Amino acid sequence: GAVVSQHPSRVICKSGTSVKIECRSLDFQATTMFWYRQFPKQSLMLMATSNEGSKATYEQGVEKDKFLINHASLTLSTLTVTSAHPEDSSFYICSAIRGGQPQHFGDGTRLSIL
Amino acid sequence: GQQLNQSPQSMFIQEGEDVSMNCTSSSIFNTWLWYKQDPGEGPVLLIALYKAGELTSNGRLTAQFGITRKDSFLNISASIPSDVGIYFCAGQLKTSGSRLTFGEGTQLTVNP
């Protein structure tokens, strides 16, 4: 069964709205979670590494103030897209590491900004 | 940074045919992973490879970790319609923590 839960699965909102996406590890503690962005017909692009209890590590070119990441507990990381605009429309996917296993991915959040 | 070249970009095959796709890199990876992504969903892990030369199977899927540590292939035998999706390779460096570098994906279409 699923080991990583992502919510919501789809969001449609107006330009200027801030949107929060949740990523939860189910039945295990994840000290590290990852946030990806995926455009249609493209691969996954790592945005940031979310570390429990500390600041996220952002990839080059990703705006920290635009994409706020909070990893307040060992089972929850949140990504907030602040003041979203149409160009922020994308498929956002989180993943978590369980023990020494490869990354397990959530089912993604389709964000559409009108 | 590291780049993974995945080929082919897309494949159109008949049900029952075998499929092969591969990834190459300019860098050496310590781990190779193969994921499948269905439309509107997150990637699902198919096979993980941890040793150079390793050949691992998962049902009709077989993947190998290249001896040079710079490449990997995935074979699917006797394809079925539910094999349709995008297949991604991903490499992991020991020095990069658990960060993954993804290939560009192979879109597989299986005609019944």
mmCIF file of all heavy atoms in Angstrom, chain B residues 30-31 49-55 64-66 69:
data_model
loop_
_atom_site.group_PDB
_atom_site.id
_atom_site.type_symbol
_atom_site.label_atom_id
_atom_site.label_comp_id
_atom_site.label_asym_id
_atom_site.label_seq_id
_atom_site.Cartn_x
_atom_site.Cartn_y
_atom_site.Cartn_z
ATOM 1 N N ASN B 30 26.192 5.246 -7.602
ATOM 2 C CA ASN B 30 26.279 4.129 -6.667
ATOM 3 C C ASN B 30 25.010 3.292 -6.651
ATOM 4 O O ASN B 30 25.015 2.136 -6.240
ATOM 5 C CB ASN B 30 26.557 4.653 -5.254
ATOM 6 C CG ASN B 30 27.887 5.347 -5.176
ATOM 7 O OD1 ASN B 30 27.970 6.564 -5.125
ATOM 8 N ND2 ASN B 30 28.953 4.556 -5.185
ATOM 9 N N THR B 31 23.926 3.914 -7.068
ATOM 10 C CA THR B 31 22.632 3.234 -7.091
ATOM 11 C C THR B 31 21.887 3.636 -8.355
ATOM 12 O O THR B 31 21.904 4.813 -8.730
ATOM 13 C CB THR B 31 21.777 3.622 -5.858
ATOM 14 O OG1 THR B 31 22.457 3.265 -4.667
ATOM 15 C CG2 THR B 31 20.419 2.931 -5.887
ATOM 16 N N LEU B 49 18.930 -1.101 -7.993
ATOM 17 C CA LEU B 49 20.202 -1.786 -8.258
ATOM 18 C C LEU B 49 21.295 -1.121 -7.447
ATOM 19 O O LEU B 49 21.438 0.110 -7.480
ATOM 20 C CB LEU B 49 20.534 -1.703 -9.752
ATOM 21 C CG LEU B 49 19.477 -2.289 -10.691
ATOM 22 C CD1 LEU B 49 19.653 -1.713 -12.096
ATOM 23 C CD2 LEU B 49 19.605 -3.806 -10.726
ATOM 24 N N TYR B 50 22.106 -1.913 -6.755
ATOM 25 C CA TYR B 50 23.078 -1.350 -5.820
ATOM 26 C C TYR B 50 24.523 -1.719 -6.116
ATOM 27 O O TYR B 50 25.439 -1.140 -5.521
ATOM 28 C CB TYR B 50 22.741 -1.792 -4.397
ATOM 29 C CG TYR B 50 21.375 -1.349 -3.937
ATOM 30 C CD1 TYR B 50 20.308 -2.238 -3.911
ATOM 31 C CD2 TYR B 50 21.151 -0.037 -3.538
ATOM 32 C CE1 TYR B 50 19.041 -1.827 -3.501
ATOM 33 C CE2 TYR B 50 19.901 0.382 -3.119
ATOM 34 C CZ TYR B 50 18.853 -0.517 -3.094
ATOM 35 O OH TYR B 50 17.612 -0.108 -2.677
ATOM 36 N N LYS B 51 24.733 -2.706 -7.006
ATOM 37 C CA LYS B 51 26.109 -3.147 -7.273
ATOM 38 C C LYS B 51 26.365 -3.183 -8.766
ATOM 39 O O LYS B 51 25.522 -3.635 -9.548
ATOM 40 C CB LYS B 51 26.329 -4.558 -6.724
ATOM 41 C CG LYS B 51 26.464 -4.626 -5.213
ATOM 42 C CD LYS B 51 26.569 -6.081 -4.751
ATOM 43 C CE LYS B 51 27.723 -6.806 -5.390
ATOM 44 N NZ LYS B 51 27.850 -8.189 -4.885
ATOM 45 N N ALA B 52 27.565 -2.749 -9.152
ATOM 46 C CA ALA B 52 27.946 -2.806 -10.561
ATOM 47 C C ALA B 52 27.838 -4.241 -11.058
ATOM 48 O O ALA B 52 28.311 -5.170 -10.392
ATOM 49 C CB ALA B 52 29.368 -2.284 -10.737
ATOM 50 N N GLY B 53 27.216 -4.402 -12.218
ATOM 51 C CA GLY B 53 27.041 -5.737 -12.783
ATOM 52 C C GLY B 53 25.791 -6.452 -12.323
ATOM 53 O O GLY B 53 25.408 -7.483 -12.885
ATOM 54 N N GLU B 54 25.144 -5.909 -11.315
ATOM 55 C CA GLU B 54 23.958 -6.563 -10.753
ATOM 56 C C GLU B 54 22.836 -6.659 -11.782
ATOM 57 O O GLU B 54 22.554 -5.709 -12.499
ATOM 58 C CB GLU B 54 23.476 -5.765 -9.527
ATOM 59 C CG GLU B 54 22.241 -6.322 -8.842
ATOM 60 C CD GLU B 54 21.818 -5.472 -7.649
ATOM 61 O OE1 GLU B 54 22.527 -4.504 -7.307
ATOM 62 O OE2 GLU B 54 20.762 -5.757 -7.063
ATOM 63 N N LEU B 55 22.215 -7.828 -11.842
ATOM 64 C CA LEU B 55 21.074 -8.077 -12.707
ATOM 65 C C LEU B 55 19.914 -8.489 -11.820
ATOM 66 O O LEU B 55 20.021 -9.481 -11.093
ATOM 67 C CB LEU B 55 21.396 -9.179 -13.714
ATOM 68 C CG LEU B 55 20.324 -9.510 -14.769
ATOM 69 C CD1 LEU B 55 20.200 -8.379 -15.777
ATOM 70 C CD2 LEU B 55 20.670 -10.818 -15.479
ATOM 71 N N GLN B 64 19.593 -4.062 -15.221
ATOM 72 C CA GLN B 64 21.002 -4.313 -14.910
ATOM 73 C C GLN B 64 21.736 -3.017 -14.619
ATOM 74 O O GLN B 64 21.470 -1.978 -15.245
ATOM 75 C CB GLN B 64 21.715 -5.040 -16.048
ATOM 76 C CG GLN B 64 23.170 -5.396 -15.719
ATOM 77 C CD GLN B 64 23.728 -6.521 -16.534
ATOM 78 O OE1 GLN B 64 23.357 -6.702 -17.697
ATOM 79 N NE2 GLN B 64 24.628 -7.292 -15.954
ATOM 80 N N PHE B 65 22.648 -3.103 -13.701
ATOM 81 C CA PHE B 65 23.538 -2.018 -13.306
ATOM 82 C C PHE B 65 24.820 -2.223 -14.100
ATOM 83 O O PHE B 65 25.505 -3.213 -13.929
ATOM 84 C CB PHE B 65 23.794 -2.144 -11.798
ATOM 85 C CG PHE B 65 24.481 -0.971 -11.140
ATOM 86 C CD1 PHE B 65 24.165 -0.657 -9.835
ATOM 87 C CD2 PHE B 65 25.442 -0.225 -11.770
ATOM 88 C CE1 PHE B 65 24.804 0.394 -9.172
ATOM 89 C CE2 PHE B 65 26.073 0.821 -11.145
ATOM 90 C CZ PHE B 65 25.750 1.136 -9.829
ATOM 91 N N GLY B 66 25.161 -1.292 -14.972
ATOM 92 C CA GLY B 66 26.312 -1.469 -15.829
ATOM 93 C C GLY B 66 27.627 -1.583 -15.080
ATOM 94 O O GLY B 66 27.795 -0.989 -14.008
ATOM 95 N N ARG B 69 29.349 1.493 -14.067
ATOM 96 C CA ARG B 69 28.545 2.284 -13.117
ATOM 97 C C ARG B 69 27.959 3.537 -13.767
ATOM 98 O O ARG B 69 27.437 4.405 -13.086
ATOM 99 C CB ARG B 69 29.355 2.701 -11.884
ATOM 100 C CG ARG B 69 30.074 1.569 -11.192
ATOM 101 C CD ARG B 69 30.839 2.072 -9.989
ATOM 102 N NE ARG B 69 29.959 2.247 -8.857
ATOM 103 C CZ ARG B 69 29.736 1.349 -7.920
ATOM 104 N NH1 ARG B 69 30.333 0.175 -7.995
ATOM 105 N NH2 ARG B 69 28.925 1.594 -6.933
#
